[in-house]
């Protein structure tokens, strides 16, 4: 006997292909953006999201029915999906954008993800949990998860748990207990499923995909769609006028010893407090 | 053709509405803790004033919280009006509970043209939720802004961990521009007994079937200045080796300087310091008068959070550490010798 459908969870993990976090980026001479001809990899916060989904399955075993990863981006984003599949996700969905398309905004992404969630539901795979990064390290906006939580469901939106550092799912009760990081401390929330969780760095330590898993991932299915298949428009509402270099800091001044350092501090008006 | 004509007229009428854009009127989210207004919100008021129009504040909280906060907002310069809404549900600022109030306030052609807040963790969680409900975009972590009489607002904001600056324009067609401001880029609004702020109560919007229940808030206690707004910060990195050594080395220096304590991600991950003390792209952004980096190599992500500091001092034994490229005073030395010596010599 299969357990009742209500106890099986489907998880969706949106991932983004970003310039690798260790790359020192350069603004292009036209000042329209940065030189993208550099190493790319999965947004680090999304790796944490994939890892958390896989760990939830390891903890909850058969209660997790599927882990699907989705990306919205140019053709090369499918590499990012393969990475996520090698980490343990079951299937991928690539909403493909042309290379020339402008970078979509969080609201457009959230609408696309909502359309994906509706489509999953129609196809009998109602999603219970979306786990995603708290921000992408390229645009540093940190909005998509919250926007998706607002749009998902019928009207009032669903629960959101942002900057999660711990996630526990109680399948029987249909709730997630999430510890989130806030300025100056932490907060504990009890969220009814479905929920959108966004990951903080401290949620987990993502695993490296092993070679056998990378080979296996090649056989896992990746479906391709376009924004128009989902009836969404990703045209940005904000105009990027310019991307420029930040003001250069004239650093590099070294001092020989502590005495010189103290002198330099005094010169700047910095002394010990009483 | 003939049938299409009335439609064209309607569209023209709409365009004309855009052209005669209303003068800016910002609504600023005033966050509070323990009866005090958060410093970030004071900076948000200054940012809102730069739009050149009216500035209204909004305070949301429980019956126990709001009265004390109102006593303080009454004296804030730069605000004309403060709206306040009280409900037991608003005590912990859960976006699912607070968002409906803002949605109601901001739908059906409100007077407000901008929704402004500090780039704090709770505002970051709330604003995008409200924006999405109203089908509006949001701009995060703004460092400067300019409002055009035609109704568009241009913002600058750091991207790629502060390694590039994007200039983005929210055109006049976006009726309410949502943005969060980088606190360290705007001065704090001041208090004055002469201020005349009008207080207006708002009906709370009660959420009957909330999907989220707030269970607990844990705030790390500290007698030191708050990291995000401290004028001096002493930060420690991985080189401190353990929590005991971190405390033993960093605390005396922070004490003698009256500084807040910060940490690199490596130090936080290794458990030497609390999460809330992390400085960098994924932690706090600081721009104090003095930033002392002890045993921190200076990874891109760390520099993102502190390179706007006025005076950067680095103590590291690796002369090639990237931190020295931004430091005004770099000392290549073993921190175990240099820091105690520095503490002693500062005391003299």
């Amino acid at each position: 006997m299969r357990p009742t459908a209500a106890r099986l969870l489907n998880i969706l993990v949106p991932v983004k292909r970003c310039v690798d976090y260790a790359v020192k980026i350069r603004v292009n001479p036209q000042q329209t953006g940065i030189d993208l001809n550099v190493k790319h990899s999965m947004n680090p916060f999304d790796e944490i999201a994939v890892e958390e989904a896989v760990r939830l399955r390891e903890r909850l075993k058969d209660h997790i029915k599927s882990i699907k990863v989705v990306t919205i981006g140019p053709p090369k984003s499918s590499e990012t999906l393969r990475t996520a599949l090698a980490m343990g996700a079951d299937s991928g969905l690539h909403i493909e954008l042309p290379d020339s398309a402008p970078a979509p905004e969080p609201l457009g992404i959230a609408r696309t993800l909502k359309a994906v969630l509706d489509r999953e539901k129609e196809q009998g795979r109602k999603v219970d949990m979306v786990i995603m990064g708290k921000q992408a390290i390229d645009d540093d906006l940190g909005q998509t998860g919250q926007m998706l939580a607002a749009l998902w469901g019928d009207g009032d939106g669903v629960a959101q748990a942002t900057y999660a550092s711990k996630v526990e799912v109680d399948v029987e009760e249909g709730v997630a207990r999430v510890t989130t990081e806030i300025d100056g401390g932490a907060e504990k929330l009890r969220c009814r499923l479905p929920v959108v969780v966004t990951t903080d760095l401290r949620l987990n330590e993502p695993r490296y995909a092993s070679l056998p898993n990378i080979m296996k991932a090649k056989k896992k299915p990746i479906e391709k769609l376009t924004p128009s298949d989902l009836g969404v428009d990703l045209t940005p509402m904000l105009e990027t006028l310019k991307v420029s270099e930040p003001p250069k800091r004239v650093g590099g001044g070294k001092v020989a010893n502590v005495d010189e350092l103290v002198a330099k501090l005094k010169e700047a008006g910095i002394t010990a407090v009483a | 053709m003939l049938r299409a004509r009335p439609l064209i007229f309607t569209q023209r009428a709409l365009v004309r509405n855009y052209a005669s854009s209303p003068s800016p009127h910002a609504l600023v989210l005033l966050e509070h803790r323990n009866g005090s207004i958060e410093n970030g919100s004071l900076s948000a008021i200054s940012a809102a004033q730069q739009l050149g129009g009216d500035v209204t504040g909004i305070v949301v909280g429980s019956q126990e919280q709001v009265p004390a906060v109102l006593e303080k907002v009454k004296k804030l310069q730069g605000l004309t009006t403060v709206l306040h809404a009280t409900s037991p549900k608003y005590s912990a600022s859960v976006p699912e509970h607070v968002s409906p109030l803002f949605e109601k306030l901001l739908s059906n052609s409100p007077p407000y043209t901008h929704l402004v807040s500090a780039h704090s963790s709770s505002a970051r969680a709330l604003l995008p939720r409200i924006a999405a409900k109203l089908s509006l975009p949001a701009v995060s972590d703004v460092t400067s802004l300019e409002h055009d009489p035609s109704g568009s607002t241009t913002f600058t904001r750091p991207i790629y961990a502060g390694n590039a600056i994007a200039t983005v324009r929210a055109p006049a067609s976006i009726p309410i521009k949502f943005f969060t401001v980088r606190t360290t880029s705007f001065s704090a609004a001041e208090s004055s007994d002469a201020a005349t702020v009008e207080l207006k109560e708002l009906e709370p919007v009660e959420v009957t079937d909330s999907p989220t229940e707030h269970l607990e808030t844990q705030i790390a206690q500290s007698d030191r200045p708050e990291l995000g707004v401290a004028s001096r910060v002493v930060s420690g990195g991985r080189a401190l080796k353990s929590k005991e050594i971190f405390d033993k080395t960093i605390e005396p220096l922070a004490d003698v300087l009256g500084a807040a304590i910060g940490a690199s991600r490596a130090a936080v991950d290794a458990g030497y310091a609390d999460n809330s003390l992390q400085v960098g792209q994924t932690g706090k952004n600081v721009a104090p008068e003095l930033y002392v980096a002890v045993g921190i190599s200076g990874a891109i992500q760390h520099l993102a959070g502190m390179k706007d500091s006025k005076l950067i001092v680095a103590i590291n034994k690796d002369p090639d550490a990237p931190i020295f490229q931004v430091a005004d005073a770099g000392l290549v030395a073993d921190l175990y010798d240099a820091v105690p010596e520095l503490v002693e010599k500062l005391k003299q």
Side-chain angles (χ1 to χ4, degrees):
Chain A
M1 272 282 278
R2 284 157 55 96
T4 50
R7 290 191 183 171
L8 291 174
L9 302 184
N10 290 308
I11 300 177
L12 186 77
V13 186
V15 295
K16 182 177 185 181
R17 177 178 179 266
C18 294
V19 170
D20 189 83
Y21 73 95
V23 168
K24 187 153 174 41
I25 61 122
R26 275 172 200 282
V27 171
N28 64 23
Q30 306 83 25
Q31 294 207 317
T32 52
I34 70 143
D35 176 13
L36 291 173
N37 208 1
V38 293
K39 187 186 172 199
H40 282 63
S41 49
M42 196 193 301
N43 178 33
F45 294 104
D46 300 347
E47 279 185 12
I48 294 169
V50 175
E51 175 69 30
E52 192 62 19
V54 175
R55 287 191 190 187
L56 277 174
R57 167 142 68 196
E58 286 165 358
R59 286 204 295 269
L60 300 168
K61 308 282 183 221
D62 295 339
H63 289 302
I64 307 288
K65 192 167 151 200
S66 76
I67 299 171
K68 188 168 201 155
V69 280
V70 56
T71 195
I72 302 162
K76 278 189 177 159
S77 304
S78 57
E79 294 163 12
T80 308
L81 286 181
R82 287 286 170 212
T83 309
L85 294 174
M87 288 174 71
D90 304 320
S91 64
L93 172 61
H94 185 178
I95 318 292
E96 200 173 295
L97 308 179
D99 272 320
S100 58
E105 287 170 358
L107 185 58
I109 298 288
R111 283 178 172 153
T112 310
L113 292 173
K114 153 84 164 119
V116 168
L117 291 167
D118 289 346
R119 188 171 174 272
E120 290 292 300
K121 192 177 171 187
E122 273 166 32
Q123 297 181 350
R125 295 184 298 265
K126 187 173 169 292
V127 173
D128 305 278
M129 193 171 200
V130 172
I131 312 179
M132 59 199 291
K134 72 166 178 178
Q135 77 192 66
I137 58 161
D138 46 11
D139 61 27
D140 281 332
L141 283 166
Q143 301 169 353
T144 311
Q146 298 87 306
M147 288 186 158
L148 177 62
L151 302 178
W152 191 9
D154 316 304
D156 287 336
V158 303
Q160 67 180 52
T162 44
Y163 322 122
S165 57
K166 191 178 178 195
V167 179
E168 291 167 320
V169 176
D170 189 324
V171 185
E172 308 292 324
E173 273 188 71
V175 298
R177 285 187 191 82
V178 187
T179 306
T180 66
E181 294 198 0
I182 58 167
D183 293 339
E187 212 168 56
K188 285 185 181 161
L189 303 171
R190 181 181 186 274
C191 300
R192 190 168 71 211
L193 303 181
V195 62
V196 177
V197 176
T198 75
T199 60
D200 216 310
L201 275 176
R202 261 162 290 281
L203 183 55
N204 60 48
E205 190 80 36
R207 70 193 63 192
Y208 287 102
S210 64
L211 188 59
N213 285 341
I214 293 171
M215 299 312 285
K216 264 189 241 163
K218 293 191 175 173
K219 298 204 181 77
K220 290 182 181 175
I222 290 184
E223 191 185 357
K224 273 189 205 254
L225 293 173
T226 63
S228 56
D229 290 334
L230 292 164
V232 288
D233 179 9
L234 286 170
T235 314
M237 293 163 87
L238 302 166
E239 304 159 45
T240 299
L241 303 181
K242 191 172 86 167
V243 174
S244 52
E245 296 268 355
K248 275 266 176 294
R249 233 198 129 85
V250 215
K254 280 192 183 154
V255 291
N257 51 43
V258 173
D259 290 318
E260 273 187 35
L261 179 55
V262 173
K264 197 139 188 179
L265 287 172
K266 286 216 168 106
E267 198 183 303
I270 289 163
T271 50
V273 293
Chain B
M1 268 305 272
L2 275 175
R3 221 181 266 168
R5 209 166 250 173
L7 243 180
I8 290 169
F9 275 124
T10 351
Q11 277 176 352
R12 269 213 193 118
L14 275 176
V15 170
R16 192 162 296 158
N17 271 343
Y18 285 153
S20 61
S21 77
S23 61
H25 187 165
L27 183 65
V28 183
L29 175 63
L30 300 178
E31 298 179 86
H32 51 88
R33 180 175 286 170
N34 301 331
S36 295
I37 307 147
E38 294 276 7
N39 284 303
S41 297
L42 299 177
S43 299
I45 295 172
S46 300
Q49 279 182 290
Q50 291 184 14
L51 295 164
D54 284 341
V55 181
T56 294
I58 179 164
V59 175
V60 177
S62 69
Q63 190 66 53
E64 296 77 43
Q65 297 166 339
V66 171
V69 179
L70 290 182
E71 280 309 306
K72 293 191 175 114
V73 298
K74 278 199 299 204
K75 295 184 182 150
L76 282 181
Q77 284 186 320
L79 292 173
T80 44
T81 313
V82 170
L83 310 175
H84 53 103
T86 311
S87 160
K89 282 255 177 178
Y90 294 161
S91 66
S93 184
V94 173
E96 291 86 320
H97 300 169
V98 183
S99 176
L101 174 78
F102 282 87
E103 288 161 37
K104 190 179 161 204
L105 190 63
L106 297 176
S107 28
N108 303 321
S109 30
Y112 311 109
T113 56
H114 295 79
L115 179 57
V116 190
S117 82
H119 193 62
S120 66
S121 62
S122 58
R124 282 193 321 245
L126 174 64
L127 257 64
R129 189 175 177 106
I130 308 167
K133 279 286 179 59
L134 301 169
S135 291
L136 297 169
V139 185
S140 301
D141 208 11
V142 165
T143 50
S144 74
L145 56 101
E146 197 175 342
H147 188 70
D148 192 86
S150 69
S152 70
T153 312
T154 305
F155 302 98
T156 60
R157 58 179 303 268
I159 55 174
Y160 290 92
N163 289 298
I165 307 292
T167 307
V168 293
R169 177 163 62 202
S173 56
I174 296 170
I176 309 171
K177 288 139 183 113
F178 280 62
F179 64 96
T180 60
V181 304
R182 179 168 287 202
T183 308
T184 52
S185 299
F186 298 90
S187 60
E190 291 186 10
S191 292
S192 141
D193 284 328
T196 51
V197 180
E198 190 191 350
L199 302 180
K200 271 191 200 162
E201 190 167 357
L202 279 181
E203 264 312 291
V205 177
E206 301 290 351
V207 180
T208 45
D209 184 32
S210 170
T212 303
E213 190 190 336
H214 176 265
L215 302 176
E216 193 188 337
T217 299
Q218 299 158 336
I219 297 295
Q221 294 299 330
S222 169
D223 301 331
R224 295 183 186 282
E226 197 196 324
L227 178 59
V229 294
S231 65
R232 295 171 180 188
V233 174
V234 177
S235 274
R238 199 203 306 265
L240 273 315
K241 290 203 178 78
S242 76
K243 181 164 172 32
E244 289 68 40
I245 300 174
F246 187 98
D247 292 346
K248 211 171 72 194
T249 315
I250 299 296
E251 277 180 3
L253 183 57
D255 285 341
V256 76
L257 288 167
I261 291 181
S264 71
R265 184 189 161 194
V268 169
D269 279 353
Y272 307 167
D274 191 74
N275 292 350
S276 60
L277 300 185
Q278 187 183 326
V279 172
Q281 184 184 20
T282 61
K284 283 242 164 50
N285 276 299
V286 299
E289 296 289 320
L290 171 69
Y291 189 88
V292 187
V294 179
I296 292 176
S297 65
I300 298 172
Q301 292 77 14
H302 186 77
L303 298 182
M306 48 62 82
K307 67 179 176 184
D308 295 327
S309 307
K310 298 244 164 36
L311 184 74
I312 298 176
V313 171
I315 302 173
N316 203 307
K317 70 176 175 196
D318 173 11
D320 298 323
I323 191 80
F324 287 124
Q325 287 163 25
V326 300
D328 302 290
L331 176 62
V332 181
D334 189 333
L335 66 93
Y336 298 108
D337 302 327
V339 175
E341 190 186 340
L342 178 60
V343 172
E344 279 315 307
K345 291 194 167 149
L346 277 170
K347 277 182 185 165
Q348 285 164 18

